[in-house]
Amino acid sequence: MHHTHKGAIVFLISILLMISACTGNDPQAPQSTLPNLTTTGPLCDNLLFPAKQGATWTYASTGGPGGSFTYTDTISSARADGFTITSQFADLVRTQEWSCQPDGLKALQLGGGTAAGISTLGMTAAFTTVEITGVSLPKEITTGMLWNYSLKMQGTMAMPGDQQAQSSGVYSVAMQEMGRETITVPAGTFEAVKIQSNSTIDISTSFEGIEVPVKFNGTTISWYVPGIGFVKSVENGDFGGTAFAATTELQSYSIP
């Protein structure tokens, strides 16, 4: 994950938003007896993301531009209309706010893992969300369903010489439900919902009078288990002609 600093930054901005996308049905996707993926309960109820106070998930990621790492996500605060995810890495902690909407769950900022990953490479970035469209995870997911999510942001990025460069960008992802599969990870074997995504990140940084564009395109396949949440992802991307493949798997979890 670090052929260049730019490549690593772009990849890590996309990692751990936990959503990416795609088009077209998977003719090989097996059918299963998973329940209908809808809930009519409280606003934050979602079968694919049990946002309960104190719930924890530990993951390991390998193969990305930044190397291998582990982290633990915890629902550190749960409210009627939203919740906070705290991500604990080896030597730092990041948080991410989520909002619960009638149509689904919406990430309000870049994921905690994003900032953490950038920091482990000796670089930091601080972004503020200025506009959000779509949802990260719909309240109801039907067979072959398509949905979109995008986030516009502004902020600063650390540059050589302890300088801060003004940056702005857009993260966008188009997602599709791709059927059901049996998936095995260190945490166990599960019947999971498969979601494929195409993600794009376009960031412009102004440094010493020069506009430096940073672009990334990637495809991710993610698996979610009803009542447990995100259990695995396989991401393939390309930056500046350098391809990478990163795999993230659930190691353990605890849901009250």
mmCIF file of all heavy atoms in Angstrom, residues 5-6 9-10 13 118 123-127 153-160 163-170 201-215:
data_model
loop_
_atom_site.group_PDB
_atom_site.id
_atom_site.type_symbol
_atom_site.label_atom_id
_atom_site.label_comp_id
_atom_site.label_asym_id
_atom_site.label_seq_id
_atom_site.Cartn_x
_atom_site.Cartn_y
_atom_site.Cartn_z
ATOM 1 N N HIS A 5 3.339 8.095 -1.669
ATOM 2 C CA HIS A 5 2.509 8.615 -0.586
ATOM 3 C C HIS A 5 1.107 8.914 -1.099
ATOM 4 O O HIS A 5 0.119 8.671 -0.415
ATOM 5 C CB HIS A 5 3.132 9.893 -0.007
ATOM 6 C CG HIS A 5 4.261 9.598 0.928
ATOM 7 N ND1 HIS A 5 4.123 8.735 1.997
ATOM 8 C CD2 HIS A 5 5.530 10.053 0.949
ATOM 9 C CE1 HIS A 5 5.274 8.679 2.651
ATOM 10 N NE2 HIS A 5 6.137 9.462 2.042
ATOM 11 N N LYS A 6 1.007 9.443 -2.312
ATOM 12 C CA LYS A 6 -0.315 9.768 -2.843
ATOM 13 C C LYS A 6 -1.166 8.520 -2.983
ATOM 14 O O LYS A 6 -2.346 8.504 -2.651
ATOM 15 C CB LYS A 6 -0.187 10.467 -4.199
ATOM 16 C CG LYS A 6 0.399 11.862 -4.120
ATOM 17 C CD LYS A 6 0.473 12.468 -5.508
ATOM 18 C CE LYS A 6 1.107 13.841 -5.481
ATOM 19 N NZ LYS A 6 1.257 14.400 -6.832
ATOM 20 N N ILE A 9 -2.385 7.415 0.401
ATOM 21 C CA ILE A 9 -3.420 8.298 0.930
ATOM 22 C C ILE A 9 -4.753 8.009 0.278
ATOM 23 O O ILE A 9 -5.781 7.882 0.946
ATOM 24 C CB ILE A 9 -3.025 9.770 0.708
ATOM 25 C CG1 ILE A 9 -1.865 10.132 1.635
ATOM 26 C CG2 ILE A 9 -4.204 10.693 0.970
ATOM 27 C CD1 ILE A 9 -1.283 11.479 1.362
ATOM 28 N N VAL A 10 -4.757 7.874 -1.037
ATOM 29 C CA VAL A 10 -6.012 7.639 -1.735
ATOM 30 C C VAL A 10 -6.621 6.312 -1.346
ATOM 31 O O VAL A 10 -7.806 6.210 -1.075
ATOM 32 C CB VAL A 10 -5.781 7.698 -3.254
ATOM 33 C CG1 VAL A 10 -7.026 7.280 -3.986
ATOM 34 C CG2 VAL A 10 -5.403 9.107 -3.651
ATOM 35 N N ILE A 13 -8.109 6.473 2.119
ATOM 36 C CA ILE A 13 -9.328 7.267 2.211
ATOM 37 C C ILE A 13 -10.526 6.405 1.879
ATOM 38 O O ILE A 13 -11.618 6.603 2.388
ATOM 39 C CB ILE A 13 -9.239 8.492 1.283
ATOM 40 C CG1 ILE A 13 -8.289 9.514 1.896
ATOM 41 C CG2 ILE A 13 -10.598 9.124 1.068
ATOM 42 C CD1 ILE A 13 -8.031 10.708 1.028
ATOM 43 N N ILE A 118 -3.583 6.795 7.246
ATOM 44 C CA ILE A 118 -2.744 7.873 6.733
ATOM 45 C C ILE A 118 -1.662 8.213 7.751
ATOM 46 O O ILE A 118 -0.499 8.396 7.418
ATOM 47 C CB ILE A 118 -3.603 9.115 6.426
ATOM 48 C CG1 ILE A 118 -4.524 8.810 5.225
ATOM 49 C CG2 ILE A 118 -2.739 10.315 6.111
ATOM 50 C CD1 ILE A 118 -5.522 9.897 4.933
ATOM 51 N N MET A 123 1.901 10.644 7.487
ATOM 52 C CA MET A 123 1.186 11.774 6.912
ATOM 53 C C MET A 123 -0.178 11.853 7.575
ATOM 54 O O MET A 123 -0.737 10.849 8.000
ATOM 55 C CB MET A 123 1.036 11.620 5.395
ATOM 56 C CG MET A 123 2.344 11.457 4.656
ATOM 57 S SD MET A 123 2.147 11.525 2.875
ATOM 58 C CE MET A 123 1.774 13.261 2.654
ATOM 59 N N THR A 124 -0.710 13.058 7.656
ATOM 60 C CA THR A 124 -2.025 13.233 8.251
ATOM 61 C C THR A 124 -2.893 14.091 7.352
ATOM 62 O O THR A 124 -2.409 14.929 6.593
ATOM 63 C CB THR A 124 -1.932 13.892 9.637
ATOM 64 O OG1 THR A 124 -1.276 15.163 9.504
ATOM 65 C CG2 THR A 124 -1.162 13.021 10.616
ATOM 66 N N ALA A 125 -4.188 13.871 7.451
ATOM 67 C CA ALA A 125 -5.156 14.656 6.699
ATOM 68 C C ALA A 125 -6.362 14.881 7.587
ATOM 69 O O ALA A 125 -6.773 13.998 8.332
ATOM 70 C CB ALA A 125 -5.564 13.932 5.417
ATOM 71 N N ALA A 126 -6.913 16.081 7.527
ATOM 72 C CA ALA A 126 -8.100 16.417 8.311
ATOM 73 C C ALA A 126 -9.142 16.986 7.371
ATOM 74 O O ALA A 126 -8.938 18.054 6.773
ATOM 75 C CB ALA A 126 -7.754 17.421 9.399
ATOM 76 N N PHE A 127 -10.258 16.273 7.215
ATOM 77 C CA PHE A 127 -11.309 16.702 6.314
ATOM 78 C C PHE A 127 -12.607 16.961 7.068
ATOM 79 O O PHE A 127 -12.935 16.250 8.018
ATOM 80 C CB PHE A 127 -11.570 15.647 5.229
ATOM 81 C CG PHE A 127 -10.477 15.525 4.218
ATOM 82 C CD1 PHE A 127 -9.628 14.423 4.234
ATOM 83 C CD2 PHE A 127 -10.288 16.497 3.250
ATOM 84 C CE1 PHE A 127 -8.616 14.314 3.298
ATOM 85 C CE2 PHE A 127 -9.289 16.379 2.309
ATOM 86 C CZ PHE A 127 -8.440 15.288 2.331
ATOM 87 N N MET A 153 -15.892 16.928 0.674
ATOM 88 C CA MET A 153 -15.128 17.299 1.862
ATOM 89 C C MET A 153 -14.101 18.380 1.557
ATOM 90 O O MET A 153 -13.652 18.543 0.409
ATOM 91 C CB MET A 153 -14.426 16.066 2.422
ATOM 92 C CG MET A 153 -13.608 15.321 1.404
ATOM 93 S SD MET A 153 -13.304 13.605 1.876
ATOM 94 C CE MET A 153 -12.571 12.992 0.345
ATOM 95 N N GLN A 154 -13.740 19.109 2.596
ATOM 96 C CA GLN A 154 -12.702 20.124 2.528
ATOM 97 C C GLN A 154 -11.827 20.004 3.755
ATOM 98 O O GLN A 154 -12.281 19.575 4.813
ATOM 99 C CB GLN A 154 -13.310 21.528 2.463
ATOM 100 C CG GLN A 154 -14.088 21.818 1.200
ATOM 101 C CD GLN A 154 -14.686 23.208 1.196
ATOM 102 O OE1 GLN A 154 -14.809 23.846 2.233
ATOM 103 N NE2 GLN A 154 -15.051 23.677 0.026
ATOM 104 N N GLY A 155 -10.546 20.386 3.618
ATOM 105 C CA GLY A 155 -9.667 20.316 4.774
ATOM 106 C C GLY A 155 -8.230 20.561 4.418
ATOM 107 O O GLY A 155 -7.930 21.302 3.480
ATOM 108 N N THR A 156 -7.324 19.930 5.171
ATOM 109 C CA THR A 156 -5.899 20.118 4.957
ATOM 110 C C THR A 156 -5.191 18.771 4.930
ATOM 111 O O THR A 156 -5.657 17.789 5.512
ATOM 112 C CB THR A 156 -5.276 20.972 6.076
ATOM 113 O OG1 THR A 156 -5.482 20.318 7.337
ATOM 114 C CG2 THR A 156 -5.891 22.358 6.106
ATOM 115 N N MET A 157 -4.061 18.754 4.262
ATOM 116 C CA MET A 157 -3.228 17.562 4.210
ATOM 117 C C MET A 157 -1.799 17.957 4.553
ATOM 118 O O MET A 157 -1.289 18.972 4.065
ATOM 119 C CB MET A 157 -3.296 16.917 2.818
ATOM 120 C CG MET A 157 -2.598 15.578 2.717
ATOM 121 S SD MET A 157 -2.890 14.782 1.106
ATOM 122 C CE MET A 157 -4.660 14.486 1.196
ATOM 123 N N ALA A 158 -1.158 17.164 5.407
ATOM 124 C CA ALA A 158 0.214 17.466 5.800
ATOM 125 C C ALA A 158 1.161 17.207 4.636
ATOM 126 O O ALA A 158 1.068 16.188 3.959
ATOM 127 C CB ALA A 158 0.620 16.618 6.997
ATOM 128 N N MET A 159 2.079 18.153 4.418
ATOM 129 C CA MET A 159 3.044 18.056 3.337
ATOM 130 C C MET A 159 4.463 18.127 3.922
ATOM 131 O O MET A 159 4.636 18.389 5.115
ATOM 132 C CB MET A 159 2.819 19.196 2.329
ATOM 133 C CG MET A 159 1.406 19.249 1.768
ATOM 134 S SD MET A 159 0.910 17.755 0.863
ATOM 135 C CE MET A 159 1.812 17.972 -0.668
ATOM 136 N N PRO A 160 5.487 17.884 3.098
ATOM 137 C CA PRO A 160 6.867 17.949 3.608
ATOM 138 C C PRO A 160 7.171 19.293 4.258
ATOM 139 O O PRO A 160 6.627 20.323 3.866
ATOM 140 C CB PRO A 160 7.704 17.745 2.331
ATOM 141 C CG PRO A 160 6.805 16.947 1.425
ATOM 142 C CD PRO A 160 5.424 17.461 1.695
ATOM 143 N N GLN A 163 4.319 21.514 6.576
ATOM 144 C CA GLN A 163 3.383 22.460 5.991
ATOM 145 C C GLN A 163 2.019 21.797 5.791
ATOM 146 O O GLN A 163 1.914 20.588 5.617
ATOM 147 C CB GLN A 163 3.914 22.959 4.645
ATOM 148 C CG GLN A 163 5.251 23.673 4.734
ATOM 149 C CD GLN A 163 5.704 24.200 3.393
ATOM 150 O OE1 GLN A 163 5.098 25.119 2.840
ATOM 151 N NE2 GLN A 163 6.766 23.622 2.855
ATOM 152 N N GLN A 164 0.978 22.635 5.819
ATOM 153 C CA GLN A 164 -0.384 22.169 5.607
ATOM 154 C C GLN A 164 -0.901 22.685 4.269
ATOM 155 O O GLN A 164 -0.783 23.871 3.970
ATOM 156 C CB GLN A 164 -1.307 22.648 6.732
ATOM 157 C CG GLN A 164 -0.946 22.091 8.097
ATOM 158 C CD GLN A 164 -1.199 20.591 8.186
ATOM 159 O OE1 GLN A 164 -2.183 20.085 7.665
ATOM 160 N NE2 GLN A 164 -0.292 19.880 8.855
ATOM 161 N N ALA A 165 -1.436 21.808 3.460
ATOM 162 C CA ALA A 165 -1.946 22.190 2.145
ATOM 163 C C ALA A 165 -3.469 22.099 2.141
ATOM 164 O O ALA A 165 -4.046 21.129 2.639
ATOM 165 C CB ALA A 165 -1.365 21.280 1.064
ATOM 166 N N GLN A 166 -4.117 23.112 1.598
ATOM 167 C CA GLN A 166 -5.565 23.105 1.489
ATOM 168 C C GLN A 166 -6.008 22.051 0.468
ATOM 169 O O GLN A 166 -5.433 21.938 -0.614
ATOM 170 C CB GLN A 166 -6.078 24.477 1.056
ATOM 171 C CG GLN A 166 -5.847 25.569 2.100
ATOM 172 C CD GLN A 166 -6.580 25.287 3.397
ATOM 173 O OE1 GLN A 166 -7.773 24.954 3.383
ATOM 174 N NE2 GLN A 166 -5.868 25.397 4.506
ATOM 175 N N SER A 167 -7.019 21.272 0.852
ATOM 176 C CA SER A 167 -7.482 20.182 -0.002
ATOM 177 C C SER A 167 -9.000 20.154 -0.052
ATOM 178 O O SER A 167 -9.685 20.570 0.881
ATOM 179 C CB SER A 167 -6.975 18.828 0.523
ATOM 180 O OG SER A 167 -5.562 18.795 0.604
ATOM 181 N N SER A 168 -9.527 19.656 -1.147
ATOM 182 C CA SER A 168 -10.962 19.417 -1.282
ATOM 183 C C SER A 168 -11.141 18.176 -2.150
ATOM 184 O O SER A 168 -10.270 17.838 -2.960
ATOM 185 C CB SER A 168 -11.680 20.613 -1.915
ATOM 186 O OG SER A 168 -11.199 20.851 -3.234
ATOM 187 N N GLY A 169 -12.240 17.489 -1.959
ATOM 188 C CA GLY A 169 -12.417 16.271 -2.735
ATOM 189 C C GLY A 169 -13.810 15.699 -2.638
ATOM 190 O O GLY A 169 -14.671 16.188 -1.904
ATOM 191 N N VAL A 170 -14.008 14.650 -3.398
ATOM 192 C CA VAL A 170 -15.285 13.938 -3.431
ATOM 193 C C VAL A 170 -15.011 12.448 -3.368
ATOM 194 O O VAL A 170 -14.157 11.933 -4.100
ATOM 195 C CB VAL A 170 -16.076 14.254 -4.710
ATOM 196 C CG1 VAL A 170 -17.375 13.456 -4.744
ATOM 197 C CG2 VAL A 170 -16.372 15.738 -4.812
ATOM 198 N N ILE A 201 -12.402 8.276 -5.769
ATOM 199 C CA ILE A 201 -11.969 9.388 -4.931
ATOM 200 C C ILE A 201 -11.227 10.382 -5.813
ATOM 201 O O ILE A 201 -10.357 10.010 -6.596
ATOM 202 C CB ILE A 201 -11.056 8.929 -3.793
ATOM 203 C CG1 ILE A 201 -11.804 7.997 -2.847
ATOM 204 C CG2 ILE A 201 -10.515 10.120 -3.014
ATOM 205 C CD1 ILE A 201 -10.942 7.432 -1.759
ATOM 206 N N ASP A 202 -11.611 11.645 -5.696
ATOM 207 C CA ASP A 202 -10.990 12.706 -6.483
ATOM 208 C C ASP A 202 -10.654 13.849 -5.527
ATOM 209 O O ASP A 202 -11.546 14.543 -5.040
ATOM 210 C CB ASP A 202 -11.951 13.180 -7.575
ATOM 211 C CG ASP A 202 -11.268 14.086 -8.586
ATOM 212 O OD1 ASP A 202 -10.173 14.583 -8.290
ATOM 213 O OD2 ASP A 202 -11.846 14.301 -9.660
ATOM 214 N N ILE A 203 -9.377 14.025 -5.222
ATOM 215 C CA ILE A 203 -8.936 15.054 -4.283
ATOM 216 C C ILE A 203 -7.983 16.012 -4.990
ATOM 217 O O ILE A 203 -7.114 15.593 -5.755
ATOM 218 C CB ILE A 203 -8.226 14.431 -3.065
ATOM 219 C CG1 ILE A 203 -9.213 13.592 -2.255
ATOM 220 C CG2 ILE A 203 -7.613 15.504 -2.169
ATOM 221 C CD1 ILE A 203 -8.581 12.882 -1.091
ATOM 222 N N SER A 204 -8.157 17.294 -4.711
ATOM 223 C CA SER A 204 -7.258 18.310 -5.246
ATOM 224 C C SER A 204 -6.593 19.029 -4.079
ATOM 225 O O SER A 204 -7.276 19.529 -3.180
ATOM 226 C CB SER A 204 -8.021 19.315 -6.114
ATOM 227 O OG SER A 204 -7.138 20.314 -6.603
ATOM 228 N N THR A 205 -5.259 19.063 -4.092
ATOM 229 C CA THR A 205 -4.499 19.709 -3.028
ATOM 230 C C THR A 205 -3.658 20.841 -3.614
ATOM 231 O O THR A 205 -2.976 20.663 -4.621
ATOM 232 C CB THR A 205 -3.567 18.691 -2.337
ATOM 233 O OG1 THR A 205 -4.360 17.661 -1.746
ATOM 234 C CG2 THR A 205 -2.733 19.359 -1.253
ATOM 235 N N SER A 206 -3.749 22.026 -2.991
ATOM 236 C CA SER A 206 -2.974 23.174 -3.448
ATOM 237 C C SER A 206 -1.745 23.323 -2.563
ATOM 238 O O SER A 206 -1.856 23.544 -1.343
ATOM 239 C CB SER A 206 -3.835 24.445 -3.367
ATOM 240 O OG SER A 206 -3.082 25.572 -3.788
ATOM 241 N N PHE A 207 -0.552 23.170 -3.159
ATOM 242 C CA PHE A 207 0.698 23.217 -2.396
ATOM 243 C C PHE A 207 1.718 24.062 -3.142
ATOM 244 O O PHE A 207 2.083 23.762 -4.277
ATOM 245 C CB PHE A 207 1.228 21.808 -2.183
ATOM 246 C CG PHE A 207 2.493 21.737 -1.376
ATOM 247 C CD1 PHE A 207 2.530 22.208 -0.069
ATOM 248 C CD2 PHE A 207 3.653 21.190 -1.918
ATOM 249 C CE1 PHE A 207 3.692 22.140 0.683
ATOM 250 C CE2 PHE A 207 4.814 21.114 -1.176
ATOM 251 C CZ PHE A 207 4.839 21.592 0.128
ATOM 252 N N GLU A 208 2.139 25.159 -2.504
ATOM 253 C CA GLU A 208 3.132 26.081 -3.068
ATOM 254 C C GLU A 208 2.725 26.548 -4.457
ATOM 255 O O GLU A 208 3.529 26.599 -5.399
ATOM 256 C CB GLU A 208 4.514 25.423 -3.096
ATOM 257 C CG GLU A 208 5.058 25.117 -1.704
ATOM 258 C CD GLU A 208 6.459 24.533 -1.727
ATOM 259 O OE1 GLU A 208 6.913 24.122 -2.817
ATOM 260 O OE2 GLU A 208 7.104 24.497 -0.660
ATOM 261 N N GLY A 209 1.429 26.883 -4.575
ATOM 262 C CA GLY A 209 0.911 27.437 -5.819
ATOM 263 C C GLY A 209 0.631 26.423 -6.906
ATOM 264 O O GLY A 209 0.276 26.803 -8.029
ATOM 265 N N ILE A 210 0.792 25.155 -6.607
ATOM 266 C CA ILE A 210 0.572 24.109 -7.608
ATOM 267 C C ILE A 210 -0.602 23.236 -7.179
ATOM 268 O O ILE A 210 -0.684 22.804 -6.028
ATOM 269 C CB ILE A 210 1.830 23.240 -7.785
ATOM 270 C CG1 ILE A 210 3.012 24.097 -8.230
ATOM 271 C CG2 ILE A 210 1.571 22.110 -8.781
ATOM 272 C CD1 ILE A 210 4.324 23.339 -8.309
ATOM 273 N N GLU A 211 -1.519 22.975 -8.099
ATOM 274 C CA GLU A 211 -2.641 22.087 -7.833
ATOM 275 C C GLU A 211 -2.202 20.634 -8.070
ATOM 276 O O GLU A 211 -1.745 20.289 -9.166
ATOM 277 C CB GLU A 211 -3.833 22.420 -8.742
ATOM 278 C CG GLU A 211 -4.501 23.742 -8.409
ATOM 279 C CD GLU A 211 -5.167 23.721 -7.036
ATOM 280 O OE1 GLU A 211 -5.749 22.673 -6.677
ATOM 281 O OE2 GLU A 211 -5.083 24.743 -6.337
ATOM 282 N N VAL A 212 -2.302 19.826 -7.035
ATOM 283 C CA VAL A 212 -1.879 18.432 -7.128
ATOM 284 C C VAL A 212 -3.122 17.541 -7.060
ATOM 285 O O VAL A 212 -3.736 17.394 -6.002
ATOM 286 C CB VAL A 212 -0.920 18.060 -5.984
ATOM 287 C CG1 VAL A 212 -0.475 16.606 -6.120
ATOM 288 C CG2 VAL A 212 0.283 18.998 -5.969
ATOM 289 N N PRO A 213 -3.512 16.944 -8.189
ATOM 290 C CA PRO A 213 -4.693 16.066 -8.171
ATOM 291 C C PRO A 213 -4.344 14.666 -7.686
ATOM 292 O O PRO A 213 -3.268 14.145 -7.970
ATOM 293 C CB PRO A 213 -5.138 16.039 -9.636
ATOM 294 C CG PRO A 213 -3.853 16.213 -10.401
ATOM 295 C CD PRO A 213 -2.982 17.104 -9.544
ATOM 296 N N VAL A 214 -5.243 14.060 -6.924
ATOM 297 C CA VAL A 214 -5.085 12.693 -6.456
ATOM 298 C C VAL A 214 -6.357 11.941 -6.808
ATOM 299 O O VAL A 214 -7.439 12.302 -6.363
ATOM 300 C CB VAL A 214 -4.846 12.638 -4.940
ATOM 301 C CG1 VAL A 214 -4.672 11.201 -4.478
ATOM 302 C CG2 VAL A 214 -3.627 13.473 -4.557
ATOM 303 N N LYS A 215 -6.235 10.907 -7.619
ATOM 304 C CA LYS A 215 -7.419 10.176 -8.083
ATOM 305 C C LYS A 215 -7.250 8.688 -7.810
ATOM 306 O O LYS A 215 -6.144 8.166 -7.839
ATOM 307 C CB LYS A 215 -7.656 10.405 -9.574
ATOM 308 C CG LYS A 215 -7.954 11.848 -9.945
ATOM 309 C CD LYS A 215 -8.169 12.001 -11.445
ATOM 310 C CE LYS A 215 -8.389 13.456 -11.824
ATOM 311 N NZ LYS A 215 -9.672 13.958 -11.302
#
